[in-house]
Amino acid sequence: MNLNISFVNEFKDKQSTVYLVKESDSLKNELTKQEFNYLNSQIENKQKLINVNRFDQQLYILLIEEKPELYQTVEKLRIQANNLLKSINQASLKSISISNFTNDNNHTKACIDGLALGNYQFLKYFSKKENNSLTEIQILTSEFTEKEKTLIVSTLEGVYWARDLVNEPYSYLNAIKLSEEIQEKSKIAGYNVEVIDKKQIEALKMGGLLAVNKGSIDPPTFTIISYKHPEATNTKPVILVGKGVVFDTGGLSLKPTPNSMDIMKVDMGGAAVVAGAIYSLAKAKVKINIIGLIPATDNRPGLNAYAPGDVVKMYNGKTVEVLNTDAEGRMILADALSYAEKYNPELVIDLATLTGAAMRAVGKEAIAAMRTCSDKIFNQLKDSGFSTYERLVEFPLWEEYGELIKSDIADMKNLGGADAGAITAGKFLEHFTNYPWVHLDIAGTAHVPAPDSYRGKNGTGSGVRLLVDFLSKY
Ligand code: BES
Ligand code: ZN
Ligand code: ZN
């Protein structure tokens, strides 16, 4: 992360500052009389974001709008903080402080998140890099514990990394490279990694992953990340499974190009979120026992590619009739989900850019969720969805939907009907689970084609903040 975030006790002279206030009176002692009058006149003009330009120091006053619910207030604040970035970078400021007068840490955190996430850039492939000027955020005398401070920063690093991974093109990030990047980061984060290579994947008979990989010239990988704090609160692990399709052409059921194939480097968005979230939790030494499983390959129509009509024997022995090679995500996830059984997990959450249907149903505003876990656990996850504004919408896994993936010649087929595509994909995956499970279809949120406030443009890292929030409270 090319942004340094620190928690300090003293103001530097002439330090440009973002003030978070509920009313102008809080700043009586910070401003000159003239500035204070200006602030009040702006507030009377219904301004919520006021800039006091001292020329050698910029002050930005963010007037907090209290909404009915805290999660709404802080989301507004993240967006306002992001809106500030344009002026901050135009003023060529390198460093900015946050000074909160509301006595509510949630406000400070939202402001940090909005500034830091909005300031993300992916410039690697530009020959001339136009970096944002802002490289430092200082938080003044806040009430955060040391643990909270570390987690705030490590979460942002996790999101940055997940975005980088999603934004990397396939020409750089094939399955092997993805596993190497995960290994590389373990040195900083302190998690363990085991990479299962093609030979071992064959020996394990992961039929789904191998079938999708058949058309590729690059081998598949199956990456296992583990992190267990000695005082972990859970003895049985929580497992995160991430779809790692490093590029999805659709295979022989080729996607129509140029429309739908263009962004398909994002099809490892689930893998990026799993890696990013475990990075954040491990780096902040959160007391948890967690495992990440990442099946990875590209999906392409090579000479030996798997074909519609093929019957594939999966890792758990079940058979699948392949009717569309573009429904490849469920093939590789299914193997990972049944592999998860051997750990006797307490909870398994998978994340996948799985269906266009999920994207069409909820757009970029929500993650489509399906689950067999308890209401208690799911409500906690949903709450984290609100507080991070990575919201979940639950779709049903009613048994009638299961009828749509029945096959004439195998245990199931990998394609449902024309309708309810996100749900039939979920029903497919359910066949490979025998533990409390949540499926998160992030097809709509992993990537945004146009700037979406602090979520930025392109890879969003959507899901990292959700999982870190949920698992750090788990
Ligand atoms: N990777 C796609 C889903 C996707 C679509 C992700 C848009 C991100 C944005 C997935 O592998 C896919 O192709 N799904 C098909 C499934 C269908 C063939 C049953 C789809 O959604 O069209
Ligand atoms: Zn596909
Ligand atoms: Zn896909």
Side-chain angles (χ1 to χ4, degrees):
M1 190 165 69
N2 58 347
L3 189 66
N4 181 34
I5 299 172
S6 57
F7 296 80
V8 298
N9 292 317
E10 260 174 50
F11 241 129
K12 271 192 289 184
D13 198 29
K14 307 283 186 213
Q15 169 75 344
S16 291
T17 303
V18 180
Y19 288 111
L20 306 179
V21 295
K22 285 185 182 166
E23 70 236 325
S24 61
D25 274 1
S26 314
L27 294 177
K28 242 188 173 139
N29 299 326
E30 315 294 321
L31 303 175
T32 65
K33 183 125 195 33
Q34 208 183 5
E35 288 168 347
F36 187 69
N37 291 340
Y38 171 71
L39 173 62
N40 279 321
S41 71
Q42 291 298 299
I43 291 174
E44 259 167 51
N45 285 340
K46 304 252 179 298
Q47 295 300 311
K48 307 285 182 205
L49 216 165
I50 298 113
N51 179 204
V52 172
N53 186 348
R54 287 181 176 168
F55 300 103
D56 57 354
Q57 180 189 26
Q58 299 293 329
L59 307 181
Y60 300 98
I61 296 124
L62 268 180
L63 206 65
I64 292 177
E65 291 176 70
E66 295 268 23
K67 305 255 180 186
E69 299 286 344
L70 175 66
Y71 80 88
Q72 297 167 317
T73 309
V74 293
E75 173 63 1
K76 181 78 196 181
L77 202 47
R78 289 184 199 107
I79 293 171
Q80 282 184 309
N82 174 74
N83 291 344
L84 272 181
L85 282 168
K86 213 172 164 191
S87 334
I88 290 174
N89 284 310
Q90 257 166 13
S92 299
L93 299 181
K94 286 199 176 73
S95 173
I96 191 101
S97 292
I98 301 173
S99 180
N100 181 7
F101 282 78
T102 73
N103 286 325
D104 187 341
N105 269 345
N106 292 301
H107 297 156
T108 318
K109 184 169 183 294
C111 185
I112 304 169
D113 285 351
L115 287 174
L117 294 172
N119 204 50
Y120 172 86
Q121 294 179 290
F122 187 73
L123 302 175
K124 182 175 167 188
Y125 294 101
F126 285 110
S127 42
K128 189 168 168 284
K129 302 188 197 326
E130 290 183 16
N131 286 291
N132 288 339
S133 65
L134 184 68
T135 54
E136 183 181 56
I137 300 176
Q138 298 199 328
I139 298 96
L140 270 159
T141 50
S142 61
E143 302 298 314
F144 295 112
T145 63
E146 286 309 311
K147 270 189 187 158
E148 285 169 336
K149 290 177 192 172
T150 322
L151 191 61
I152 288 173
V153 178
S154 76
T155 306
L156 293 168
E157 287 172 353
V159 177
Y160 265 56
W161 182 35
R163 287 182 181 180
D164 283 347
L165 289 174
V166 171
N167 290 332
E168 280 290 358
Y170 173 57
S171 57
Y172 174 82
L173 198 82
N174 61 18
I176 298 250
K177 190 75 189 170
L178 175 62
S179 69
E180 286 171 356
E181 296 270 311
I182 293 169
Q183 281 173 305
E184 190 59 34
K185 274 280 193 289
S186 70
K187 294 176 198 156
I188 317 172
Y191 53 68
N192 297 310
V193 188
E194 184 193 351
V195 181
I196 299 189
D197 65 14
K198 185 173 179 181
K199 268 217 169 87
Q200 294 166 285
I201 294 170
E202 282 166 349
L204 286 166
K205 299 198 171 90
M206 291 191 164
L209 179 54
L210 289 166
V212 176
N213 182 252
K214 273 179 78 183
S216 176
I217 37 172
D218 294 331
T221 54
F222 189 87
T223 303
I224 304 174
I225 314 174
S226 56
Y227 162 72
K228 186 178 180 182
H229 191 282
E231 294 158 41
T233 46
N234 57 322
T235 43
K236 289 159 68 175
V238 171
I239 300 188
L240 304 177
V241 177
K243 173 177 173 182
V245 173
V246 284
F247 192 76
D248 184 10
T249 67
L252 285 176
S253 314
L254 196 67
K255 287 179 186 295
T257 190
N259 303 342
S260 54
M261 205 191 292
D262 291 11
I263 58 144
M264 277 305 145
K265 66 175 185 180
V266 310
D267 215 15
M268 34 56 69
V273 172
V274 169
I278 298 180
Y279 170 96
S280 310
L281 293 163
K283 185 133 187 253
K285 299 195 165 52
V286 172
K287 292 182 179 166
I288 194 161
N289 175 9
I290 190 162
I291 291 170
L293 302 177
I294 297 178
T297 176
D298 54 314
N299 179 29
R300 60 163 64 192
L303 290 179
N304 196 33
Y306 80 137
D310 281 359
V311 175
V312 175
K313 191 162 187 185
M314 309 292 280
Y315 173 69
N316 72 350
K318 289 188 182 173
T319 55
V320 173
E321 182 189 10
V322 175
L323 283 178
N324 190 317
T325 61
D326 198 11
E328 84 298 339
R330 64 198 75 181
M331 300 294 289
I332 73 168
L333 284 172
D335 280 351
L337 287 171
S338 21
Y339 190 82
E341 283 179 16
K342 76 169 202 176
Y343 297 99
N344 188 22
E346 189 162 285
L347 173 68
V348 177
I349 304 175
D350 79 71
L351 295 103
T353 48
L354 201 62
T355 65
M359 183 167 68
R360 280 190 296 279
V362 288
K364 65 178 173 60
E365 301 308 332
I367 295 169
M370 285 144 259
R371 50 105 182 196
T372 57
C373 74
S374 67
D375 288 349
K376 184 173 167 231
I377 288 292
F378 189 69
N379 285 334
Q380 285 171 11
L381 188 63
K382 236 167 59 178
D383 285 349
S384 290
F386 282 114
S387 36
T388 58
Y389 227 69
E390 299 192 328
R391 294 166 295 178
L392 311 184
V393 169
E394 186 174 7
F395 286 11
L397 286 177
W398 297 327
E399 65 179 65
E400 289 77 2
Y401 293 111
E403 297 295 319
L404 299 168
I405 52 166
K406 286 208 165 134
S407 160
D408 294 335
I409 67 161
D411 297 340
M412 72 199 89
K413 54 183 182 179
N414 79 335
L415 186 67
D419 300 331
I423 299 176
T424 47
K427 284 308 278 185
F428 181 93
L429 296 179
E430 191 187 3
H431 280 282
F432 300 87
T433 65
N434 70 348
Y435 37 65
W437 165 65
V438 184
H439 162 52
L440 300 176
D441 194 330
I442 57 170
T445 61
H447 171 274
V448 288
D452 183 23
S453 182
Y454 63 89
R455 275 170 283 269
K457 189 181 169 184
N458 302 323
T460 59
S462 147
V464 174
R465 289 166 54 247
L466 167 77
L467 290 178
V468 174
D469 188 78
F470 170 70
L471 292 168
S472 61
K473 294 172 182 162
Y474 186 74

